[in-house]
Coordinates of all heavy atoms in Angstrom, one line a residue:
M1 N 0.8 -1.2 -0.1 CA 0.0 0.0 0.0 C 0.9 1.3 -0.1 O 1.8 1.4 0.7 CB -0.9 0.1 1.3 CG -1.9 1.1 1.2 SD -3.1 1.0 2.7 CE -2.3 2.2 3.7
K2 N 0.6 2.2 -0.9 CA 1.3 3.5 -1.0 C 0.9 4.3 0.2 O -0.3 4.6 0.5 CB 1.0 4.2 -2.2 CG 1.7 3.4 -3.4 CD 1.5 4.4 -4.7 CE 2.2 3.7 -5.8 NZ 2.0 4.5 -7.0
N3 N 1.9 5.0 0.8 CA 1.6 6.1 1.7 C 1.5 7.4 1.1 O 2.2 7.8 0.2 CB 2.8 6.2 2.8 CG 2.9 5.0 3.7 OD1 1.8 4.3 3.8 ND2 4.0 4.7 4.2
F4 N 0.4 8.1 1.4 CA 0.1 9.3 0.8 C 1.2 10.3 1.3 O 1.3 10.6 2.5 CB -1.3 9.8 1.2 CG -1.7 11.2 0.6 CD1 -1.9 11.2 -0.7 CD2 -1.8 12.3 1.5 CE1 -2.2 12.4 -1.3 CE2 -2.2 13.5 0.9 CZ -2.4 13.5 -0.5
L5 N 1.9 11.0 0.3 CA 2.9 11.9 0.6 C 3.9 11.4 1.6 O 4.6 12.2 2.3 CB 2.4 13.3 1.2 CG 1.5 14.1 0.4 CD1 0.8 15.2 1.2 CD2 2.1 14.6 -0.8
F6 N 4.3 10.2 1.5 CA 5.2 9.4 2.3 C 5.1 9.7 3.9 O 6.1 9.8 4.5 CB 6.6 9.9 1.9 CG 6.9 9.7 0.4 CD1 6.9 10.7 -0.4 CD2 7.0 8.3 0.0 CE1 7.1 10.5 -1.8 CE2 7.3 8.2 -1.4 CZ 7.3 9.2 -2.4
I7 N 3.8 9.7 4.3 CA 3.5 10.0 5.6 C 2.8 8.6 6.2 O 1.9 8.1 5.6 CB 2.6 11.0 5.9 CG1 3.2 12.4 5.4 CG2 2.0 11.1 7.3 CD1 2.2 13.6 5.4
S8 N 3.3 8.1 7.3 CA 2.7 6.9 7.9 C 1.4 7.2 8.6 O 1.0 8.3 8.8 CB 3.8 6.3 8.8 OG 3.8 7.1 10.0
I9 N 0.8 6.1 8.9 CA -0.6 6.2 9.6 C -0.4 7.0 10.9 O -1.2 7.8 11.3 CB -1.3 4.8 9.7 CG1 -1.6 4.3 8.3 CG2 -2.5 5.0 10.6 CD1 -2.0 3.0 8.4
E10 N 0.6 6.6 11.7 CA 0.9 7.3 12.9 C 1.0 8.8 12.9 O 0.6 9.5 13.6 CB 2.0 6.6 13.7 CG 1.8 5.3 14.1 CD 2.2 4.2 12.9 OE1 2.8 4.7 12.0 OE2 1.8 3.1 13.0
E11 N 1.8 9.1 11.8 CA 2.1 10.6 11.6 C 0.8 11.3 11.2 O 0.6 12.4 11.5 CB 3.2 10.7 10.5 CG 4.6 10.4 11.0 CD 5.6 10.3 9.9 OE1 5.2 10.2 8.7 OE2 6.8 10.4 10.2
S12 N 0.0 10.7 10.4 CA -1.3 11.3 9.9 C -2.2 11.5 11.2 O -2.8 12.7 11.3 CB -2.1 10.3 8.9 OG -1.2 10.1 7.8
F13 N -2.3 10.5 12.0 CA -3.0 10.6 13.2 C -2.5 11.9 14.1 O -3.3 12.6 14.7 CB -3.1 9.4 14.1 CG -4.2 8.4 13.5 CD1 -3.7 7.1 13.3 CD2 -5.4 8.7 13.1 CE1 -4.6 6.2 12.8 CE2 -6.3 7.8 12.7 CZ -5.9 6.5 12.5
F14 N -1.2 12.0 14.2 CA -0.6 13.1 14.9 C -1.0 14.4 14.2 O -1.3 15.3 15.1 CB 0.9 12.9 15.1 CG 1.6 13.8 15.9 CD1 1.4 13.9 17.2 CD2 2.3 14.9 15.3 CE1 2.0 14.8 18.0 CE2 3.0 15.8 16.1 CZ 2.9 15.8 17.4
I15 N -1.0 14.6 13.0 CA -1.3 15.8 12.4 C -2.7 16.1 12.7 O -3.1 17.4 12.9 CB -0.9 15.7 10.9 CG1 0.6 15.6 10.7 CG2 -1.6 16.9 10.2 CD1 1.0 15.3 9.2
I16 N -3.6 15.1 12.6 CA -5.0 15.4 12.8 C -5.2 15.8 14.2 O -6.1 16.8 14.5 CB -5.8 14.0 12.3 CG1 -5.8 13.9 10.9 CG2 -7.3 14.2 12.9 CD1 -6.4 12.6 10.5
F17 N -4.6 15.2 15.1 CA -4.8 15.5 16.6 C -4.2 16.9 16.8 O -5.0 17.7 17.5 CB -3.9 14.5 17.5 CG -3.9 14.9 18.8 CD1 -4.9 14.6 19.6 CD2 -2.7 15.4 19.5 CE1 -4.9 14.9 21.0 CE2 -2.7 15.8 20.8 CZ -3.9 15.5 21.6
I18 N -3.1 17.4 16.1 CA -2.7 18.8 16.3 C -3.6 19.7 15.7 O -4.0 20.8 16.3 CB -1.3 18.9 15.7 CG1 -0.3 18.1 16.4 CG2 -0.9 20.4 15.7 CD1 -0.1 18.4 17.8
A19 N -4.3 19.3 14.7 CA -5.3 20.2 14.0 C -6.4 20.5 14.9 O -7.1 21.5 15.0 CB -5.7 19.6 12.6
I20 N -6.8 19.3 15.5 CA -8.0 19.5 16.4 C -7.7 20.4 17.6 O -8.5 21.1 18.0 CB -8.5 18.0 16.9 CG1 -9.1 17.3 15.7 CG2 -9.5 18.0 18.0 CD1 -9.4 15.8 16.1
L21 N -6.5 20.2 18.1 CA -6.1 21.1 19.3 C -6.1 22.4 18.9 O -6.5 23.3 19.6 CB -4.8 20.6 19.8 CG -4.7 19.3 20.5 CD1 -3.4 19.0 20.9 CD2 -5.7 19.5 21.8
V22 N -5.6 22.8 17.6 CA -5.3 24.2 17.2 C -6.7 24.9 16.8 O -7.1 25.9 17.2 CB -4.3 24.3 16.0 CG1 -4.4 25.7 15.4 CG2 -3.0 23.9 16.4
F23 N -7.4 24.1 15.9 CA -8.8 24.8 15.4 C -9.9 24.3 16.1 O -11.0 25.1 16.0 CB -8.9 24.3 13.9 CG -7.8 24.7 13.0 CD1 -6.9 23.9 12.5 CD2 -7.6 26.2 12.8 CE1 -5.8 24.4 11.6 CE2 -6.6 26.5 12.0 CZ -5.7 25.7 11.3
G24 N -10.0 23.3 16.8 CA -11.2 22.9 17.6 C -12.0 22.0 16.6 O -11.9 22.1 15.4
P25 N -12.8 21.1 17.3 CA -13.4 20.1 16.5 C -14.7 20.7 15.7 O -15.1 20.1 14.7 CB -14.1 19.2 17.5 CG -14.0 19.8 18.8 CD -12.9 20.9 18.6
K26 N -15.2 21.9 16.0 CA -16.2 22.6 15.3 C -15.8 23.2 14.0 O -16.6 23.4 13.2 CB -17.0 23.5 16.2 CG -17.7 22.9 17.3 CD -18.4 23.9 18.2 CE -19.1 23.2 19.3 NZ -19.6 24.2 20.3
K27 N -14.5 23.7 14.0 CA -14.0 24.5 12.9 C -13.4 23.5 11.8 O -13.4 23.9 10.6 CB -12.9 25.3 13.2 CG -13.3 26.6 14.0 CD -13.8 27.6 12.9 CE -14.0 28.9 13.6 NZ -14.4 30.0 12.8
I28 N -13.1 22.3 12.0 CA -12.4 21.4 11.1 C -13.3 21.1 9.9 O -12.8 21.1 8.7 CB -11.9 20.2 11.8 CG1 -10.7 20.6 12.6 CG2 -11.5 19.1 10.7 CD1 -9.8 19.6 13.1
P29 N -14.8 20.9 10.0 CA -15.4 20.5 8.9 C -15.6 21.7 7.9 O -15.6 21.7 6.7 CB -16.9 20.1 9.5 CG -16.6 19.6 10.8 CD -15.4 20.5 11.3
D30 N -15.6 23.0 8.6 CA -15.7 24.1 7.8 C -14.3 24.3 6.8 O -14.3 24.7 5.7 CB -16.0 25.4 8.6 CG -17.3 25.4 9.3 OD1 -18.2 24.9 8.7 OD2 -17.4 26.1 10.3
I31 N -13.2 24.0 7.6 CA -12.1 24.1 6.9 C -11.9 23.1 5.8 O -11.5 23.5 4.6 CB -10.8 24.0 7.8 CG1 -10.7 25.3 8.8 CG2 -9.4 23.8 7.2 CD1 -9.9 25.0 10.0
A32 N -12.3 21.9 6.0 CA -12.3 20.8 5.0 C -13.1 21.2 3.8 O -13.0 21.0 2.7 CB -12.8 19.5 5.6
R33 N -14.5 21.7 4.1 CA -15.4 22.1 3.1 C -14.8 23.2 2.2 O -14.9 23.2 1.0 CB -16.6 22.6 3.7 CG -17.8 22.8 2.8 CD -18.9 23.2 3.4 NE -19.5 22.2 4.3 CZ -19.5 22.3 5.7 NH1 -19.3 23.5 6.3 NH2 -20.0 21.4 6.5
G34 N -14.1 24.2 2.8 CA -13.4 25.2 2.0 C -12.4 24.8 1.1 O -12.2 25.2 -0.1
L35 N -11.5 23.9 1.7 CA -10.5 23.2 0.9 C -11.1 22.4 -0.3 O -10.6 22.6 -1.4 CB -9.5 22.4 1.8 CG -8.7 23.0 2.7 CD1 -8.0 22.0 3.5 CD2 -7.6 23.8 1.9
G36 N -12.2 21.7 0.0 CA -12.8 20.9 -1.1 C -13.3 21.8 -2.2 O -13.3 21.6 -3.5
E37 N -14.0 23.0 -1.8 CA -14.4 23.9 -2.8 C -13.3 24.6 -3.6 O -13.5 24.8 -4.9 CB -15.3 25.0 -2.2 CG -16.6 24.5 -1.5 CD -17.3 25.6 -0.8 OE1 -16.8 26.8 -0.7 OE2 -18.4 25.3 -0.3
G38 N -12.3 24.9 -3.0 CA -11.1 25.4 -3.7 C -10.5 24.5 -4.8 O -10.3 24.9 -5.8
I39 N -10.4 23.3 -4.2 CA -9.9 22.2 -5.2 C -10.9 22.0 -6.4 O -10.4 21.8 -7.5 CB -9.6 20.8 -4.5 CG1 -8.4 21.0 -3.5 CG2 -9.4 19.8 -5.5 CD1 -8.3 20.0 -2.5
R40 N -12.2 22.0 -6.1 CA -13.1 21.8 -7.2 C -13.1 23.0 -8.1 O -13.1 22.8 -9.3 CB -14.5 21.7 -6.7 CG -15.6 21.2 -7.6 CD -17.0 21.2 -7.0 NE -17.1 20.5 -5.8 CZ -17.4 21.2 -4.6 NH1 -17.8 22.3 -4.6 NH2 -17.5 20.4 -3.5
F41 N -12.9 24.2 -7.7 CA -12.9 25.4 -8.5 C -11.6 25.3 -9.4 O -11.6 25.6 -10.6 CB -12.7 26.7 -7.7 CG -12.6 27.9 -8.4 CD1 -13.6 28.5 -9.0 CD2 -11.3 28.6 -8.5 CE1 -13.5 29.6 -9.7 CE2 -11.3 29.7 -9.2 CZ -12.2 30.2 -9.9
L42 N -10.4 24.9 -8.8 CA -9.3 24.8 -9.7 C -9.4 23.7 -10.6 O -9.0 23.9 -11.8 CB -8.0 24.5 -8.7 CG -7.7 25.6 -7.9 CD1 -6.5 25.1 -6.8 CD2 -7.1 26.9 -8.6
K43 N -10.0 22.5 -10.4 CA -10.3 21.5 -11.3 C -11.2 21.9 -12.5 O -10.8 21.7 -13.6 CB -10.8 20.2 -10.7 CG -9.8 19.4 -10.0 CD -10.5 18.2 -9.4 CE -9.6 17.3 -8.6 NZ -10.2 16.1 -8.1
N44 N -12.2 22.6 -12.2 CA -13.0 23.1 -13.2 C -12.3 24.1 -14.1 O -12.5 24.2 -15.2 CB -14.3 23.8 -12.5 CG -15.3 22.8 -11.9 OD1 -15.2 21.6 -12.3 ND2 -16.1 23.2 -11.2
A45 N -11.6 25.0 -13.5 CA -10.9 26.1 -14.3 C -9.7 25.4 -15.3 O -9.7 25.8 -16.4 CB -10.1 27.0 -13.4
K46 N -9.2 24.3 -14.8 CA -8.1 23.5 -15.6 C -8.9 22.9 -16.7 O -8.4 23.0 -17.9 CB -7.4 22.5 -14.6 CG -6.4 21.8 -15.4 CD -5.8 20.8 -14.5 CE -6.6 19.5 -14.3 NZ -6.1 18.4 -13.8
T47 N -10.0 22.3 -16.5 CA -10.7 21.6 -17.5 C -11.3 22.6 -18.6 O -11.2 22.3 -19.8 CB -11.9 20.7 -17.1 OG1 -12.7 21.5 -16.3 CG2 -11.4 19.6 -16.3
K48 N -11.7 23.7 -18.2 CA -12.2 24.8 -19.0 C -11.1 25.3 -20.0 O -11.1 25.5 -21.2 CB -12.8 26.0 -18.3 CG -14.2 25.7 -17.9 CD -14.7 26.9 -17.0 CE -16.0 26.6 -16.4 NZ -16.5 27.8 -15.6
I49 N -9.9 25.5 -19.3 CA -8.7 26.0 -20.1 C -8.2 24.8 -21.1 O -8.0 25.3 -22.3 CB -7.5 26.4 -19.2 CG1 -7.9 27.6 -18.3 CG2 -6.4 26.6 -20.0 CD1 -7.0 27.9 -17.3
K50 N -8.2 23.7 -20.7 CA -7.8 22.6 -21.5 C -8.8 22.5 -22.9 O -8.4 22.4 -23.9 CB -7.9 21.1 -21.0 CG -6.7 20.9 -20.2 CD -6.8 19.5 -19.7 CE -5.6 19.1 -18.9 NZ -5.7 17.6 -18.4
K51 N -10.2 22.6 -22.6 CA -11.1 22.6 -23.7 C -11.1 23.7 -24.6 O -11.2 23.5 -25.7 CB -12.6 22.6 -23.1 CG -13.0 21.2 -22.4 CD -14.3 21.2 -21.9 CE -14.8 20.0 -21.1 NZ -16.2 20.0 -20.7
E52 N -10.7 24.9 -24.1 CA -10.6 26.0 -24.8 C -9.3 26.0 -25.8 O -9.3 26.4 -27.0 CB -10.5 27.2 -24.1 CG -10.4 28.6 -24.9 CD -11.6 29.0 -25.5 OE1 -12.7 28.6 -25.1 OE2 -11.6 29.6 -26.5
I53 N -8.3 25.4 -25.2 CA -7.1 25.2 -26.0 C -7.3 24.2 -27.1 O -6.9 24.4 -28.3 CB -5.9 24.9 -25.1 CG1 -5.5 26.1 -24.3 CG2 -4.7 24.3 -25.9 CD1 -4.4 25.7 -23.2
I54 N -8.0 23.1 -26.7 CA -8.2 22.1 -27.8 C -9.1 22.5 -28.9 O -8.9 22.3 -30.0 CB -8.7 20.7 -27.0 CG1 -7.7 20.1 -26.3 CG2 -9.4 19.8 -28.0 CD1 -8.2 19.0 -25.4
R55 N -10.2 23.3 -28.5 CA -11.0 23.8 -29.5 C -10.3 24.8 -30.4 O -10.6 24.8 -31.6 CB -12.2 24.6 -28.7 CG -13.3 25.0 -29.7 CD -14.5 25.6 -28.9 NE -14.2 26.9 -28.2 CZ -14.0 28.1 -28.8 NH1 -14.3 28.2 -30.1 NH2 -13.7 29.1 -28.0
N56 N -9.6 25.5 -29.8 CA -8.7 26.6 -30.7 C -7.8 25.8 -31.6 O -7.7 26.2 -32.9 CB -8.0 27.5 -29.9 CG -8.9 28.7 -29.4 OD1 -10.0 28.8 -29.8 ND2 -8.5 29.3 -28.2
N57 N -7.2 24.8 -31.2 CA -6.2 24.0 -32.2 C -7.0 23.3 -33.3 O -6.6 23.3 -34.3 CB -5.5 23.1 -31.2 CG -4.4 23.7 -30.5 OD1 -3.9 24.8 -30.7 ND2 -3.9 23.0 -29.4
I58 N -8.2 22.8 -32.9 CA -9.1 22.1 -33.9 C -9.6 23.2 -35.0 O -9.5 23.0 -36.1 CB -10.2 21.4 -33.3 CG1 -9.8 20.3 -32.5 CG2 -11.3 21.0 -34.3 CD1 -10.7 19.5 -31.5
E59 N -9.9 24.3 -34.6 CA -10.4 25.3 -35.4 C -9.2 25.8 -36.4 O -9.4 26.0 -37.5 CB -10.9 26.7 -34.7 CG -12.3 26.4 -34.1 CD -12.8 27.6 -33.3 OE1 -12.0 28.6 -33.1 OE2 -13.8 27.5 -32.7
K60 N -8.0 25.9 -35.8 CA -6.9 26.4 -36.6 C -6.6 25.3 -37.6 O -6.2 25.6 -38.8 CB -5.6 26.7 -35.8 CG -5.8 28.0 -35.0 CD -4.6 28.2 -34.2 CE -4.8 29.7 -33.4 NZ -3.6 29.7 -32.5
K61 N -6.6 24.0 -37.2 CA -6.3 22.9 -38.1 C -7.3 22.8 -39.3 O -7.0 22.6 -40.3 CB -6.2 21.6 -37.4 CG -5.0 21.4 -36.5 CD -4.8 20.2 -35.9 CE -3.6 20.1 -35.0 NZ -3.5 18.8 -34.4
K62 N -8.7 23.0 -39.0 CA -9.6 22.9 -40.0 C -9.7 24.2 -40.9 O -10.3 24.2 -41.9 CB -11.0 22.8 -39.3 CG -11.2 21.4 -38.7 CD -12.6 21.3 -38.2 CE -12.9 19.8 -37.6 NZ -14.2 19.7 -37.1
G63 N -9.1 25.2 -40.5 CA -9.0 26.5 -41.3 C -10.3 27.3 -41.1 O -10.5 28.2 -41.8
I64 N -11.0 27.0 -40.1 CA -12.2 27.8 -39.8 C -12.0 28.9 -38.7 O -13.0 29.5 -38.2 CB -13.4 26.9 -39.3 CG1 -13.1 26.1 -38.1 CG2 -13.9 25.9 -40.5 CD1 -14.2 25.4 -37.6
Y65 N -10.8 29.1 -38.4 CA -10.5 30.3 -37.5 C -10.6 31.7 -38.2 O -9.8 32.0 -39.1 CB -9.0 30.1 -36.9 CG -8.8 30.9 -35.6 CD1 -9.3 30.4 -34.4 CD2 -8.1 31.9 -35.8 CE1 -9.1 31.2 -33.2 CE2 -8.0 32.8 -34.6 CZ -8.4 32.3 -33.4 OH -8.2 33.1 -32.3
N66 N -11.7 32.2 -37.8 CA -12.0 33.5 -38.6 C -11.6 34.7 -37.7 O -12.2 34.9 -36.5 CB -13.5 33.6 -38.9 CG -13.9 34.7 -39.8 OD1 -13.0 35.5 -40.1 ND2 -15.1 34.8 -40.2
F67 N -10.6 35.5 -38.2 CA -10.3 36.6 -37.4 C -11.3 37.7 -37.2 O -11.4 38.4 -36.3 CB -8.9 37.2 -38.0 CG -7.7 36.4 -37.7 CD1 -7.3 35.5 -38.7 CD2 -7.2 36.2 -36.5 CE1 -6.1 34.7 -38.5 CE2 -6.1 35.4 -36.2 CZ -5.6 34.6 -37.2
E68 N -12.1 37.9 -38.3 CA -13.3 38.9 -38.2 C -14.3 38.6 -37.2 O -14.8 39.3 -36.6 CB -13.8 39.2 -39.6 CG -13.2 40.4 -40.4 CD -12.1 39.7 -41.3 OE1 -12.2 38.6 -41.7 OE2 -11.1 40.5 -41.4
E69 N -14.5 37.3 -37.1 CA -15.6 36.9 -36.2 C -15.1 37.1 -34.7 O -15.8 37.5 -33.8 CB -15.7 35.3 -36.4 CG -16.8 34.7 -35.5 CD -17.0 33.3 -35.9 OE1 -17.0 32.8 -36.9 OE2 -17.2 32.4 -34.7
K70 N -13.7 36.9 -34.5 CA -13.2 37.2 -33.2 C -12.9 38.6 -32.9 O -12.3 39.0 -31.8 CB -11.9 36.3 -32.9 CG -12.0 34.8 -33.1 CD -12.7 34.2 -31.9 CE -12.8 32.8 -32.0 NZ -13.3 32.0 -30.9
K71 N -13.1 39.4 -34.0 CA -12.9 40.9 -33.8 C -11.4 41.1 -33.5 O -11.1 42.1 -32.7 CB -13.8 41.5 -32.9 CG -15.2 41.4 -33.3 CD -16.2 42.3 -32.6 CE -17.5 41.9 -32.7 NZ -18.2 42.2 -33.9
I72 N -10.5 40.5 -34.3 CA -9.1 40.7 -34.1 C -8.6 41.5 -35.3 O -8.7 41.1 -36.3 CB -8.4 39.5 -33.9 CG1 -8.7 38.7 -32.5 CG2 -6.8 39.7 -33.8 CD1 -8.1 37.3 -32.4
K73 N -8.1 42.6 -35.0 CA -7.6 43.4 -36.2 C -6.1 43.0 -36.5 O -5.3 43.2 -35.6 CB -7.7 44.8 -35.9 CG -9.0 45.3 -35.6 CD -9.8 45.7 -36.7 CE -11.1 46.3 -36.3 NZ -11.9 46.7 -37.4
I74 N -5.9 42.7 -37.7 CA -4.6 42.3 -38.1 C -4.2 43.4 -39.1 O -4.8 43.4 -40.2 CB -4.4 40.9 -38.8 CG1 -4.9 39.9 -37.7 CG2 -3.2 40.6 -39.3 CD1 -4.9 38.5 -38.2
P75 N -3.2 44.1 -38.9 CA -2.7 45.2 -39.9 C -2.2 44.5 -41.0 O -1.7 43.3 -41.1 CB -1.6 45.9 -39.1 CG -1.2 45.0 -38.0 CD -2.4 44.1 -37.7
P76 N -2.4 45.1 -42.3 CA -2.0 44.5 -43.6 C -0.4 44.4 -43.6 O 0.0 43.5 -44.5 CB -2.4 45.5 -44.6 CG -2.6 46.7 -43.8 CD -3.0 46.5 -42.4
Y77 N 0.3 44.9 -42.9 CA 1.8 44.9 -43.1 C 2.4 43.8 -42.1 O 3.6 43.7 -41.9 CB 2.4 46.3 -42.7 CG 2.0 46.9 -41.4 CD1 2.7 46.5 -40.2 CD2 1.0 47.7 -41.3 CE1 2.2 47.0 -39.0 CE2 0.6 48.3 -40.0 CZ 1.3 47.9 -38.9 OH 0.8 48.4 -37.7
S78 N 1.6 43.0 -41.3 CA 2.1 42.1 -40.5 C 2.6 40.9 -41.2 O 2.3 40.6 -42.3 CB 1.0 41.6 -39.5 OG 0.1 40.9 -40.2
V79 N 3.6 40.4 -40.6 CA 4.2 39.1 -41.2 C 3.8 37.9 -40.4 O 3.9 37.9 -39.1 CB 5.8 39.2 -41.2 CG1 6.4 38.0 -41.8 CG2 6.1 40.4 -42.0
K80 N 3.3 36.8 -41.0 CA 3.0 35.6 -40.3 C 4.2 34.8 -40.0 O 5.1 34.6 -40.9 CB 2.0 34.8 -41.1 CG 1.6 33.6 -40.5 CD 0.5 32.9 -41.3 CE 0.2 31.5 -40.6 NZ -0.8 30.8 -41.4
R81 N 4.4 34.6 -38.8 CA 5.6 33.8 -38.3 C 5.2 32.4 -38.0 O 4.2 32.2 -37.3 CB 6.3 34.5 -37.1 CG 6.7 35.9 -37.4 CD 7.3 36.5 -36.2 NE 7.7 37.8 -36.5 CZ 8.0 38.7 -35.5 NH1 8.2 38.4 -34.3 NH2 8.3 39.9 -35.9
N82 N 6.1 31.5 -38.4 CA 5.9 30.1 -38.0 C 6.8 29.8 -36.8 O 8.0 29.9 -36.8 CB 6.3 29.1 -39.2 CG 5.4 29.4 -40.4 OD1 4.1 29.6 -40.2 ND2 5.8 29.2 -41.5
N83 N 6.1 29.4 -35.8 CA 6.9 29.2 -34.5 C 7.0 27.8 -34.2 O 6.2 26.9 -34.3 CB 6.1 29.9 -33.3 CG 6.3 31.3 -33.3 OD1 7.2 31.9 -33.9 ND2 5.3 32.0 -32.7

């Protein structure tokens, strides 16, 4: 069995015990709920960014990326660079 973050079970119980002493048993559910909401927000943001990048790459490959539709002004003297 893998240890999470290389912490043994005894060390985990000690950390939980210290957290109960510092924050009290009534605050710990609120703290855990806040951490869960923060992690969920970051996961949702990550998936939205991935989807947007994939969608833009597909549009560019298909050639349907329309600069007028996105309201991006490209000056006529610009040089297209291949990166």
Side-chain angles (χ1 to χ4, degrees):
M1 185 171 105
K2 288 185 177 182
N3 290 337
F4 181 70
L5 297 175
F6 305 106
I7 298 175
S8 68
I9 293 173
E10 294 85 14
E11 292 170 337
S12 300
F13 283 129
F14 183 71
I15 292 171
I16 291 170
F17 177 72
I18 296 298
I20 290 173
L21 286 176
V22 171
F23 297 112
K26 292 180 181 178
K27 284 279 189 178
I28 292 196
D30 294 335
I31 294 169
R33 190 175 301 115
L35 287 173
E37 290 174 359
I39 291 170
R40 188 179 319 116
F41 177 78
L42 290 175
K43 282 183 181 180
N44 288 341
K46 182 179 78 169
T47 55
K48 285 180 183 178
I49 291 170
K50 276 185 179 179
K51 285 180 182 180
E52 184 70 22
I53 289 171
I54 291 170
R55 187 177 62 84
N56 284 339
N57 285 340
I58 290 172
E59 286 178 354
K60 286 180 182 179
K61 285 181 182 178
K62 287 183 178 180
I64 57 174
Y65 195 81
N66 190 358
F67 288 105
E68 267 89 34
E69 182 180 318
K70 299 283 183 178
K71 300 195 190 289
I72 297 174
K73 301 277 183 173
I74 298 178
Y77 54 84
S78 67
V79 177
K80 184 177 179 182
R81 297 179 184 172
N82 295 329
N83 293 334

